[in-house]
Structures are given as structure tokens and as C-alpha cells.
Amino acid sequence: MVNTTAVVLEEQDFILTSLSPGRRQKRLALVVVLALLAALTVAPVSNIQLARVDAVVPAYGTASFVNDSITAVLLFAQFSVLRSRALLAIASGYVFTALVVVAWLLTFPGLFAPAGLLGAGLQTTTWLYILWHSGFPMFVIAYALLKNAEPTKVGGSAGTAILSSIAVIASVVSLATFFIIASDRLMPRLMIDATHIAPLWTYSVGLSALLSVLALIVLWTRWRSVLDLWLMVVMCAYVTELSLNLSSRFTVGWYASRACGLVSGSLVLFVLLCETTFLYAQLLRAVFAQRREREARLMTGDAVAATIAHEVKQPLTGMISNADAGLRWLERPIPDLEKAKASFKNIVADGHRAGAVIGSVRAIFKKDTRSRIQLNINDLIEELLASMRSDLQRHRINVQVELDAQVPVTRGDRIQLQQVLVNLITNAIDSMVSTDVKRILCVRSGVNDDGSVLVSIVDTGSGIGRQDADRIFDPLFTTKSDGMGMGLSICRSIIEAHDGRLWVAPNEAEGAVFHFVLPTDRGAIA
């Protein structure tokens, strides 16, 4: 039975909000935090007045709105996969900041109208700024508390949950904006005039900064994912921004505060985009690797099927030939029972050989070495030529056998080495049948220069073209119209599994010579 919980947890390891940050992520986050700390060094000169650039406010507000909106969309997309209440909370937090930014821009004096597009006063803009920078840390705290406390997930449709959250946040922001605008004359003064702050501004900004520090602490005690890490950095940016925003407008501190605000709004978006792209690239590589593995598996299946068909075809052909011969001996006016009996014995032997071939093919793909025994290659050659005598005679092949009596003993799988000899001799027969030259098959054994066993199969057939010499041993490559392209590939696999080597060379006259070497059995007694 499959453990569904374990499978889900394993799948979540590939989702950004559940992915543990790597060393690269931690180093980058540390660099950003150090840069924010370095920004605090402007505090002693933060009250120096600089040139007034009115375009800073709309650019800052627009960039914040765009960044927060896109971040919310990406987090809602993560939520639609995990259905996590924590993700819904932090995504709603970014919706909250985006909507408050809109209200902040619409009430900013001199931006769209002298008193703001909504007709509010200077104090409305400042209180909306406090609402903005106090509200988001509260969403971060909610995210940190929910992400480890659940395993319950949001039920129902993800789209319904997202739309409901946006509607609720939009209603809250609208009501808060309406209340601040309506209470403009009753609210405590945070700004003396358009460029100078009131003492209460310092306390309000300090309270917002304390909320950011609290959110940072709660996250620190519970962090484990990439999103947690970068939300902590965002809270550090919030603290830095608010610390620098204790001076009047258009001062060094005010401009530095706007820059930190852009950093805080862009960090999570940047990380989400980068990590999503990285995970997408990993997904593509995984899909391509899975596709290659599937194709390789299909190729292996084709190779196994072709191998079995190729190898079983030969004993089946022998069985059919012996059965025809046996019937002919029985259908004579005076049946020759002894010869018919010999044919039927050959059928039984071929049947056993077919079964052994199937087992041997399985052993090739399993790399099984348990069935190897000591054997003399000369005995194997003579036994095989005797079993193939009828085929050789039917194709009028003149056989020359040159066996070295001093050939050492080797160790191998008898059936597999028989397959090698059968394939090489059968290929030699097919090559010579297609030509009109004198058909001579020479089978040699001897001792190689390094003391190993050397076997050569020489034919006078059509030979191997230079363009095919490099591919002749490739699986599924064949020069025959009815070939499967597995015979020589199987032969090389078997010989190499026996720690030997198989290669082809042109015959001096015409045709081809296939050589293979096998190591000697060092444990054998000479």
C-alpha cells in the first residue's frame, strides 16, 4: 500500500514554498541584509535636504503596486497547488499592500490634484503609509503562525478561496481608507507641512518597525523554506526603510527610505521568478531524462524480443528440417526407421537447445556468470559443426577445420559460446550464399600472442563494406534485407561478458574474417 502522506511530502520538496534554501540562497540573503545595514550608515546625514524630484513618488508607488501584485499572483498560484492557509495569508498580505499603495497614491497631495485625487489632506497620506507598513508585518506573522500549525488545508475550490480573500482585503482597505479620509481632521497630526514631520511621526514609524521586528523574530523561530528566508530579509528591509524615514521629505534619509522600500517590494518577486525558472528548468531536465529512460527501456525491450526471436529461430529451423527429413524417411516404400529415429532425436535436441537459448539470453541481460564451466573450444567447435552439417551440405559449403591441439582450456557459458559460433557461422553461410564464388568456410582455433584462446571464422562471401565496418556490431543494425540486426551485437556482448574481444577484418582473397579471443582458465591444469 502506498503511503500517500509520504508521497505528498516528497512532492512538496519540489515546490518553492516548501523547498529548503541552499547555501547559495543563504549567502545571497546575507549579502542583502549586510547591504541594508550599510544603508543605515546614512542616518547621520539623513536630514540633509536634496533637490526635490516629484517623479520619485509616482515611480515608487507604481513600482510597489506592480511588484506586490505580481508577487501576490505567484503566491496564489503556489496556494492553488498546496491549498495552504499560510500561503493564502501571505498572498493576501501582498494584495493588501498593493491596494493600500493605490489609496496612498490617490490621496498624495500634488500628485493627481493639489489636495489628492480623493480630496483628502496631507495627514491621510501619512496615515495610509503607516497602515501599509504596519499591516503587512501582521500578515507575515499570520503566515509564520499558520504554516507550522496546520496540517488542515483550505477546502473547496482554490479559485473561490482566492477571490474571497481578494474581496475581503479590498473591503478592509476601502473601509480603512474611507475611515482615514473621513477622520482626517480628527486624526493626530503626523506632518507639520508638506516637507516637515511632526513628533508623533517618530512614534508611529517606531511602532511599525517594532511590528516588523516581531514578524522577523516569529519567522526566525519557524523558518525552513526559501520563502521564509526571503520574508525575513523583507522584514529587515522594512525596518531599514522605516528607520531612514524619520526625516523630512526630499532629504537623504527620505530618498534612501524609498530605495529600501523598492528593495523590500522586489525581493520576494525576484526570488519567486528566479526559483520558479530554476525549478522549471529542473522539471524539463527531469522530463527529458524520463523520456530518454523510457526510450531506452523500449529499445531494451525491442532488443530482448529481437534477441530471443533471432536466437530461437535457428533451433526452430533445425527442428523443422529434421521433422521434414524424418517424415521423408517414414514415407519411403520401406521406411528407414533408424534414420527417422535419428531425425526425431535431433528434434528433441533442438527443442532442448531452444529452451537453453532462452535461458542464455536472459543470462546475457542479467550478466549472470554462475553457469560458466571449464571447456575446450575445439570440442565445442567440432560439436557445433556436426550439428550444422546438414545446413552446410544443403548450401554446398566446403568446410575447412584447422584446430590447434595445444589450445588452452577456457571458462565460459557453453550455450552462450555456442550461440556465438552459430551466429558467426550462419552469417558466413548467408554471406556466401549471396555470391557465385567458391564457398569455403574455414574455422580455426589457436593460441593468441598473449596466450589467450583465439578463434577465427573465415568465409569467401560478400564481405563487410568499409562504411559498415564501424556499425556492424551495433544493436538493430543489419545489412540483410530480412535481418534483425541483433546477431553480432549479441555475439560481442557475450564475448565481452567473458572478458574477451570480438572484431572483424577483411579476408585476404574475398569475404570476411571474424576473430574472437577468450581468456584462459588459470585454474585449469595443463
Side-chain angles (χ1 to χ4, degrees):
M1 181 177 177
V2 179
N3 189 338
T4 307
T5 304
V7 171
V8 171
L9 291 175
E10 183 177 354
E11 289 176 351
Q12 289 184 6
D13 289 341
F14 296 95
I15 298 177
L16 181 62
T17 50
S18 302
L19 188 67
S20 298
R23 183 176 300 177
R24 178 178 60 89
Q25 288 277 359
K26 294 177 181 178
R27 287 178 178 175
L28 182 58
L30 179 60
V31 169
V32 175
V33 171
L34 292 176
L36 291 171
L37 291 175
L40 291 174
T41 58
V42 306
V45 295
S46 60
N47 288 318
I48 296 178
Q49 199 74 29
L50 298 178
R52 176 169 179 161
V53 181
D54 293 327
V56 169
V57 173
Y60 169 68
T62 303
S64 298
F65 172 76
V66 172
N67 289 340
D68 293 343
S69 298
I70 297 175
T71 304
V73 170
L74 292 175
L75 289 171
F76 277 132
Q78 296 282 325
F79 162 76
S80 66
V81 176
L82 293 180
R83 300 295 183 89
S84 165
R85 295 182 186 275
L87 276 177
L88 186 62
I90 193 62
S92 300
Y94 275 98
V95 173
F96 172 83
T97 58
L99 294 178
V100 173
V101 167
V102 172
W104 180 74
L105 288 173
L106 293 177
T107 59
F108 201 93
L111 187 60
F112 297 104
L117 192 63
L118 296 180
L122 178 63
Q123 304 305 317
T124 300
T125 305
T126 54
W127 278 110
L128 285 173
Y129 181 87
I130 296 299
L131 176 65
W132 171 6
H133 287 79
S134 299
F136 184 73
M138 297 177 67
F139 281 98
V140 173
I141 293 172
Y143 162 79
L145 295 176
L146 288 171
K147 74 187 189 71
N148 288 343
E150 43 172 358
T152 59
K153 299 181 182 296
V154 176
S157 169
T160 301
I162 292 170
L163 292 176
S164 300
S165 298
I166 294 174
V168 170
I169 296 300
S171 300
V172 170
V173 171
S174 299
L175 289 174
T177 304
F178 175 78
F179 174 79
I180 292 172
I181 293 174
S183 306
D184 181 68
R185 295 183 179 181
L186 301 176
M187 299 286 285
R189 302 291 95 181
L190 298 179
M191 297 288 295
I192 297 174
D193 53 37
T195 58
H196 297 86
I197 60 174
L200 185 60
W201 171 258
T202 303
Y203 296 104
S204 302
V205 169
L207 178 61
S208 299
L210 284 176
L211 285 173
S212 297
V213 171
L214 178 61
L216 176 61
I217 294 172
V218 176
L219 271 174
W220 178 264
T221 60
R222 295 167 173 263
W223 79 283
R224 68 171 185 269
S225 70
V226 172
L227 182 59
D228 299 342
L229 174 66
W230 288 100
L231 282 175
M232 288 193 293
V233 178
V234 169
M235 290 297 95
C236 291
Y238 261 59
V239 173
T240 304
E241 177 187 354
L242 292 168
S243 301
L244 294 173
N245 206 18
L246 296 175
S247 54
S248 301
R249 290 180 182 175
F250 306 110
T251 59
V252 172
W254 188 83
Y255 282 114
S257 175
R258 302 287 85 76
C260 289
L262 289 176
V263 170
S264 65
S266 305
L267 277 175
V268 172
L269 173 60
F270 176 76
V271 172
L272 283 170
L273 291 175
C274 288
E275 292 299 316
T276 301
T277 303
F278 176 73
L279 291 175
Y280 178 70
Q282 281 189 319
L283 176 63
L284 281 181
R285 285 194 292 269
V287 169
F288 290 150
Q290 186 180 30
R291 184 177 299 173
R292 287 192 297 269
E293 181 184 355
R294 184 171 63 250
E295 291 173 352
R297 194 174 298 166
L298 291 173
M299 179 67 74
T300 301
D302 290 342
V304 172
T307 299
I308 293 175
H310 184 278
E311 298 305 307
V312 173
K313 181 179 180 181
Q314 293 167 352
L316 287 178
T317 302
M319 292 168 69
I320 294 171
S321 299
N322 284 307
D324 289 338
L327 288 174
R328 286 198 301 271
W329 292 119
L330 292 176
E331 289 174 351
R332 285 191 170 192
I334 301 177
D336 193 331
L337 298 181
E338 290 299 324
K339 291 185 177 180
K341 184 178 179 180
S343 297
F344 295 143
K345 285 182 178 180
N346 289 334
I347 293 174
V348 173
D350 285 333
H352 288 302
R353 189 158 72 91
V357 163
I358 294 175
S360 178
V361 169
R362 292 185 61 199
I364 293 172
F365 289 96
K366 291 168 62 179
K367 306 297 183 185
D368 194 358
T369 60
R370 291 175 295 176
S371 60
R372 294 183 183 178
I373 59 172
Q374 290 183 1
L375 53 86
N376 187 304
I377 199 70
N378 289 345
D379 296 339
L380 197 64
I381 292 172
E382 289 176 345
E383 178 184 331
L384 185 64
L385 289 175
S387 66
M388 298 185 69
R389 183 175 293 110
S390 59
D391 284 342
L392 294 167
Q393 290 176 349
R394 184 170 67 254
H395 293 100
R396 300 186 302 279
I397 305 295
N398 183 15
V399 180
Q400 297 177 358
V401 182
E402 301 174 6
L403 304 179
D404 186 347
Q406 303 300 319
V407 70
V409 175
T410 187
R411 178 175 290 273
D413 185 307
R414 188 179 189 87
I415 300 298
Q416 289 184 358
L417 294 178
Q418 277 185 341
Q419 285 179 262
V420 173
L421 290 169
V422 168
N423 278 324
L424 295 179
I425 293 174
T426 301
N427 285 345
I429 294 172
D430 293 341
S431 177
M432 289 186 286
V433 167
S434 62
T435 63
D436 296 328
V437 300
K438 188 175 181 180
R439 301 171 183 178
I440 300 175
L441 172 68
C442 181
V443 182
R444 302 191 187 110
S445 71
V447 182
N448 200 27
D449 295 338
D450 59 358
S452 58
V453 178
L454 173 65
V455 178
S456 302
I457 311 295
V458 187
D459 67 69
T460 57
S462 56
I464 306 296
R466 291 184 179 179
Q467 69 278 9
D468 298 329
D470 294 334
R471 299 187 296 162
I472 197 68
F473 295 103
D474 292 345
L476 306 179
F477 175 79
T478 181
T479 58
K480 303 177 185 178
S481 59
D482 58 345
M484 295 183 180
M486 292 302 301
L488 291 177
S489 174
I490 295 167
C491 291
R492 173 166 279 185
S493 298
I494 292 173
I495 295 300
E496 289 179 351
H498 283 74
D499 299 322
R501 186 166 63 94
L502 170 65
W503 72 98
V504 64
N507 194 5
E508 292 181 359
E510 49 191 339
V513 184
F514 284 86
H515 303 279
F516 67 84
V517 292
L518 296 170
T520 58
D521 184 12
R522 300 186 183 279
I525 300 176

